[in-house]
Amino acid sequence: MKRSHCIMALSLASLIAGEASAQVASATSIANPGLRQELLERVNRDQAIRNEWIKVGIDKADSAFLARMQKIDSNNTDRMKQIVKQYGWPGPELVGEDGAEAAFLLVQHADADHAFQKEMLPLVRDAYLAKKLAGQDYALLLDRVLVYEGKRQVYGTQTKPSHEWKGRQPELAPIEDEANADKRRAEVGLEPLAEYLVRLKQIYFPKDK
């Protein structure tokens, strides 16, 4: 199974976890706290399998492990389709800020259904422009869709599949107008590419010095 990688997903999950306690206090102002809780639980499972993937080694995971991760992603994708069909994009007013970020993360990992990711891109863009999702969310999904279609990404959030990396150094998929990528990244709240690559290396290969 060929996969591009994006460690920003783990950063978003940390943000979700960090905001969760604050959201609990105002849960009465959230229209659907039950759905919020479900989304957070789904993200916990999503991140647990990915943390296990990093622990095993992203270049060492066998087909059985990848199939297990794919099953989790597929289940989450099916559920997100139901949620969007029923509610539209689940924004902060419906599921809280952390719930909305959780929904985005599940869409970002719906790699087996590119058509769904592409369908969600305008909704994510609208949520970002309405300040209901972070700019990095839009950047991540836009790049994901473009890279899948063999096009150059805009923000440089997506790496090449790990089997294409030289040694143990993460490599980014091609970027449109790379000379100005850091400027675009700053506009959506992302760190410079050089810092991003260092962070990718540290998280994917924590034992390397």
Side-chain angles (χ1 to χ4, degrees), residues 9-77:
L10 292 174
S11 298
L12 287 169
S14 297
L15 174 63
I16 291 166
E19 291 180 346
S21 59
Q23 287 286 344
V24 170
S26 59
T28 54
S29 64
I30 297 172
N32 197 328
L35 180 57
R36 167 187 173 269
Q37 186 60 38
E38 178 191 347
L39 289 168
L40 295 179
E41 290 172 356
R42 287 181 177 276
V43 161
N44 284 338
R45 290 191 290 272
D46 171 288
Q47 291 299 286
I49 190 72
R50 282 170 168 79
N51 286 328
E52 185 179 346
W53 187 20
I54 291 173
K55 184 176 181 179
V56 169
I58 61 172
D59 53 348
K60 295 182 175 63
D62 59 23
S63 59
F65 178 87
L66 294 175
R68 185 155 56 95
M69 184 162 63
Q70 179 59 48
K71 183 176 181 180
I72 291 172
D73 291 349
S74 179
N75 182 274
N76 287 336
T77 299

Side-chain angles (χ1 to χ4, degrees), residues 13-202:
S14 297
L15 174 63
I16 291 166
E19 291 180 346
S21 59
Q23 287 286 344
V24 170
S26 59
T28 54
S29 64
I30 297 172
N32 197 328
L35 180 57
R36 167 187 173 269
Q37 186 60 38
E38 178 191 347
L39 289 168
L40 295 179
E41 290 172 356
R42 287 181 177 276
V43 161
N44 284 338
R45 290 191 290 272
D46 171 288
Q47 291 299 286
I49 190 72
R50 282 170 168 79
N51 286 328
E52 185 179 346
W53 187 20
I54 291 173
K55 184 176 181 179
V56 169
I58 61 172
D59 53 348
K60 295 182 175 63
D62 59 23
S63 59
F65 178 87
L66 294 175
R68 185 155 56 95
M69 184 162 63
Q70 179 59 48
K71 183 176 181 180
I72 291 172
D73 291 349
S74 179
N75 182 274
N76 287 336
T77 299
D78 289 344
R79 180 59 177 135
M80 278 304 303
K81 289 180 178 180
Q82 296 171 356
I83 291 170
V84 172
K85 183 177 181 179
Q86 181 174 358
Y87 300 102
W89 182 259
E93 66 282 354
L94 182 70
V95 294
E97 291 182 8
D98 53 356
E101 289 289 348
F104 164 76
L105 188 61
L106 300 182
V107 170
Q108 181 73 359
H109 288 164
D111 293 323
D113 195 334
H114 173 69
F116 177 62
Q117 288 183 317
K118 191 170 184 177
E119 180 185 350
M120 292 299 98
L121 184 56
L123 301 185
V124 168
R125 179 178 181 274
D126 289 347
Y128 156 55
L129 293 176
K131 302 186 184 303
K132 295 182 179 181
L133 274 179
Q136 63 179 241
D137 296 348
Y138 171 62
L140 284 162
L141 188 59
L142 174 62
D143 281 355
R144 196 84 145 196
V145 169
L146 289 172
V147 169
Y148 183 92
E149 295 180 343
K151 301 174 182 177
R152 290 179 177 270
Q153 57 181 326
V154 174
Y155 296 98
T157 66
Q158 305 298 299
T159 69
K160 297 177 181 179
S162 57
H163 70 275
E164 296 182 11
W165 297 358
K166 294 180 177 65
R168 294 166 67 84
Q169 179 60 51
E171 295 187 30
L172 298 176
I175 304 170
E176 186 69 31
D177 185 22
E178 186 170 350
N180 291 305
D182 281 346
K183 179 180 178 181
R184 295 191 298 273
R185 289 173 65 86
E187 291 171 351
V188 294
L190 294 170
E191 78 268 62
L193 286 173
E195 294 179 15
Y196 182 49
L197 283 168
V198 169
R199 190 154 59 89
L200 285 172
K201 174 76 171 179
Q202 291 172 341

